[in-house]
Amino acid sequence: MTSVRPDRLRHPGADGDGAVEIVEYTDPACPWAWGSEPAFRLLRALTAGRARWRRVFGILFDEDDDPAPDPAAETAWYGRYIADIARHTRAPYAHRLHWVAATSRPASLAAKAAERQGATAAERVLRRLRETTFVLGTPADTAERVRSALTGLDGVDVGRLEAELGDPEVVAAVRRDHAEARDPIPEAHAFHASGPHGTGVKETDDGVRYALPTLVFSGPGGRVAAPGWRSVPEYLAALRTVAPRQLWEAAPIGPGEALAKYRSLTGPDLSLLTGGTTPPPAAVRVDTAGGPLWLHPGEAATHPALIATAESKIPRS
């Protein structure tokens, strides 16, 4: 699989910088989106400075959804569903899912608010929120759980973010995301492929929405929808279709550089970004049912998984 070194990829093409747009339809609680993160990290690095990347939150679970008649049975079923997906994507998953997210709106609001603090903060906030579900098994589905998950997160002004969760502009932006995700383009409607995501749209109670995740590529060569979990070669083919005059190639970065940049790495992250499977010596290991998660020491210092483990070892009188 191809890997990427961002500083080797800034080749101005005849199409011009910024001529390509990538729209990512996603949700913090979506297991397929979690499994797609390694490929998306590679694509974001590959297209840095040459494409505009915009993220749209589809709200997989909403506040007005009917509650499950048997929450324990629903949680057990959904935990098995996540495990089945993880066996396909090779993503880590929690030893136990403690509950199904009642709503993904608070996490989406936090991720949207984090965008005001720049790309690095936005990536770190969304990653940490995903890990509450897929590493800890405790989805951040309330404002208080979001606050707890993000406490101490490096590179993020968490106090500012908390204050902006209810900001009218942030709320309106997530409302627009919800609506946009339920208005798929014709290319998504027309999409059909083999594999776990055979169609580009999913039915909802009141219509359809994009399959999550979906990337929509636009450029001088046209527009391509890549719905669901897709391979890196498929994404590269989409880029070459919409921007055929640009060079889309990749080279690996070192594991230490990857850990410093991304702060949190799965096995597939290591494979795609570094071309290997060995984490740097300084990485802190967190074991999950689907393999290890590797954390930068600075990330580990405030990560809920490590804090929970440390607290569980404190003797109780």
Side-chain angles (χ1 to χ4, degrees), residues 4-312:
V4 63
R5 184 179 183 98
D7 60 358
R8 297 180 189 171
L9 296 169
R10 297 175 186 247
H11 308 296
D15 293 327
D17 288 349
V20 177
E21 181 184 58
I22 302 170
V23 183
E24 174 190 354
Y25 296 89
T26 191
D27 186 274
C30 175
W32 287 109
W34 165 242
S36 297
E37 264 300 288
F40 289 2
R41 282 178 159 181
L42 187 151
L43 287 170
R44 281 192 290 268
L46 175 64
T47 60
R50 296 194 290 160
R52 177 184 176 226
W53 190 297
R54 182 169 64 88
R55 185 173 280 138
V56 176
F57 294 100
I59 315 296
L60 184 60
F61 304 106
D62 212 350
E63 295 159 335
D64 57 0
D65 291 345
D66 293 333
D70 186 342
E74 181 194 42
T75 299
W77 173 84
Y78 199 69
R80 293 191 297 270
Y81 176 70
I82 289 174
D84 286 343
I85 292 173
R87 281 187 279 272
H88 186 87
T89 65
R90 296 175 46 239
Y93 63 96
H95 289 285
R96 177 193 168 201
L97 180 66
H98 294 268
W99 62 83
V100 178
T103 170
S104 51
R105 194 171 287 268
S108 298
L109 287 166
K112 183 64 71 174
E115 292 177 358
R116 294 179 165 189
Q117 298 185 36
T120 297
E123 297 305 320
R124 290 183 180 180
V125 165
L126 182 55
R127 179 73 171 202
R128 178 68 69 85
L129 292 172
R130 291 197 198 281
E131 289 170 353
T132 65
T133 297
F134 302 111
V135 176
L136 282 79
T138 54
D141 57 356
T142 67
E144 181 56 41
R145 286 169 176 161
V146 166
R147 187 177 303 111
S148 177
L150 300 180
T151 297
L153 185 58
D154 189 37
V156 178
D157 184 339
V158 178
R160 173 187 168 187
L161 189 146
E162 290 174 10
E164 293 179 347
L165 285 179
D167 184 289
E169 291 184 4
V170 173
V171 173
V174 171
R175 189 179 298 119
R176 288 193 298 271
D177 281 4
H178 179 276
E180 182 178 343
R182 282 152 183 79
D183 187 22
I185 61 173
E187 290 87 346
H189 281 276
F191 180 87
H192 293 282
S194 59
H197 285 95
T199 61
V201 299
K202 297 288 185 180
E203 292 186 2
T204 66
D205 290 340
D206 55 357
V208 295
R209 61 163 171 78
Y210 283 99
L212 300 178
T214 286
L215 296 186
V216 173
F217 299 82
S218 302
R223 188 168 65 178
V224 175
W229 191 89
R230 312 251 64 87
S231 68
V232 170
E234 288 175 285
Y235 291 131
L236 293 177
L239 273 173
R240 291 171 183 140
T241 296
V242 304
R245 298 183 184 181
Q246 292 207 41
L247 179 64
W248 303 107
E249 294 182 354
I253 61 175
E257 185 180 350
L259 189 67
K261 176 179 176 63
Y262 295 106
R263 312 284 288 185
S264 166
L265 298 171
T266 65
D269 282 322
L270 278 170
S271 177
L272 276 181
L273 298 170
T274 76
T277 58
T278 304
V284 178
R285 178 178 177 133
V286 175
D287 286 308
T288 80
L293 179 76
W294 302 100
L295 299 177
H296 185 280
E299 183 77 7
T302 64
H303 198 284
L306 276 301
I307 293 172
T309 300
E311 290 177 346
S312 70

